Amino acid sequence: MTDLRVTPTPTATCRQATEVGTVTLVGAGPGGSDLITVRGALALAVADVVVYDRLADPELLELAPVRALLIAVGKARGVGAHQDDINAVLSEHARAGANVVRLKGGDPFVFGRGSEEIDALTAEGIHCEVIPGISSALAAPALAGIPLTERGAAASFTVLTGHRIDDADHDWSALAGSSSTLVVLMGSSTSSMIAARLLEGGRPEREPVAVVHAAGTPQMRTASIDLSELRSSGCPFPAPCVIVIGDVAARVRPIG
């Protein structure tokens, strides 16, 4: 692991137990522990409690003080801690005076339910801060050599969730008719359905698709297919994956 330990400044001290503490939402970045921001590492270095997600690199926990309480609240395919229970854990420790870090994969406000946690805590009068992280929507394509925008090829990109697509508020006609690069997060298990919706809307069968698995980690792999193949065969890798759809996806570097 890259050594990211930092010496906290004199002002970055823990609160007394008689005071209400603070909750800081920290984006852990897309995968590898060396992709967290410096500010995120500083926050971990003075944490009393770290409440962390499944997709946050476990090595990041080594940045917290030895005395820090570490609480896992990860979810996978809907199985895991309920959001109300997570909110309650954050509130309980902050009210006890702790400096709480809520460590979330990627960026807290990109499909991370960070705003829900902020709303719940501020409603109780608990001070919250947010430290952005590098979302895998941006990092995975970059690490795989894919420019999401490129002069003459793509002037925009759209990020969408692949989770529970029947319930998601997607305008499939607009997505299919757009020339925008599409970036799909959490779409490993629904990729065939996503491809079918886009093809039904008129996107070309031979449109390039790149799949990036475990971006930023030693397990990172990539695959280059087309939209028709994605519909028929689905995602070639297990989660976590980022799926890029559009002409720029043809630039993906073979990895793994």
Side-chain angles (χ1 to χ4, degrees):
M1 168 182 171
T2 302
D3 187 3
L4 294 176
R5 289 192 177 273
V6 292
T7 302
T9 62
T11 57
T13 55
C14 301
R15 293 171 177 265
Q16 297 297 319
T18 54
E19 301 177 355
V20 175
T22 296
V23 176
T24 304
L25 274 64
V26 175
S33 59
D34 54 349
L35 292 174
I36 194 171
T37 65
V38 172
R39 187 175 293 186
L42 280 166
L44 281 168
V46 294
D48 299 314
V49 179
V50 181
V51 181
Y52 62 97
D53 279 350
R54 178 179 61 90
L55 290 178
D57 191 317
E59 290 190 1
L60 288 173
L61 301 178
E62 298 176 15
L63 299 180
V66 174
R67 58 173 170 73
L69 176 63
L70 308 178
I71 303 174
V73 293
K75 302 176 186 176
R77 295 188 178 182
V79 178
H82 191 277
Q83 188 61 54
D84 289 342
D85 295 331
I86 295 173
N87 296 345
V89 168
L90 297 173
S91 174
E92 175 188 356
H93 289 283
R95 287 197 170 282
N99 181 13
V100 183
V101 165
R102 175 70 171 104
L103 188 63
K104 303 173 78 68
D107 181 87
F109 281 3
V110 180
F111 303 131
R113 304 188 73 169
S115 60
E116 296 178 39
E117 295 174 359
I118 292 288
D119 289 347
L121 293 166
T122 53
E124 296 185 31
I126 297 171
H127 178 69
C128 300
E129 299 177 3
V130 178
I131 298 176
I134 306 171
S135 171
S136 61
L138 303 176
L143 291 167
I146 304 168
L148 293 181
T149 61
E150 185 176 56
R151 186 169 57 178
S156 63
F157 64 91
T158 302
V159 182
L160 58 148
T161 176
H163 180 60
R164 298 178 62 180
I165 63 170
D166 289 335
D167 299 331
D169 187 21
H170 294 323
D171 185 338
W172 292 106
S173 296
L175 291 170
S178 170
S179 60
S180 178
T181 302
L182 302 182
V183 183
V184 183
L185 304 184
M186 301 179 289
S188 297
S189 62
T190 59
S191 57
S192 292
M193 290 182 284
I194 291 169
R197 299 280 181 90
L198 294 172
L199 288 168
E200 289 168 5
R203 282 191 92 116
E205 292 190 354
R206 303 297 295 174
E207 184 167 32
V209 174
V211 182
V212 185
H213 168 72
T217 73
Q219 294 74 42
M220 179 175 169
R221 292 181 287 168
T222 63
S224 180
I225 56 178
D226 61 34
L227 200 55
S228 176
E229 187 177 353
L230 186 65
R231 176 180 60 184
S232 61
S233 301
C235 185
F237 304 126
C241 287
V242 174
I243 301 170
V244 183
I245 302 169
D247 289 343
V248 294
R251 286 184 169 272
V252 64
R253 292 189 296 111
I255 300 174

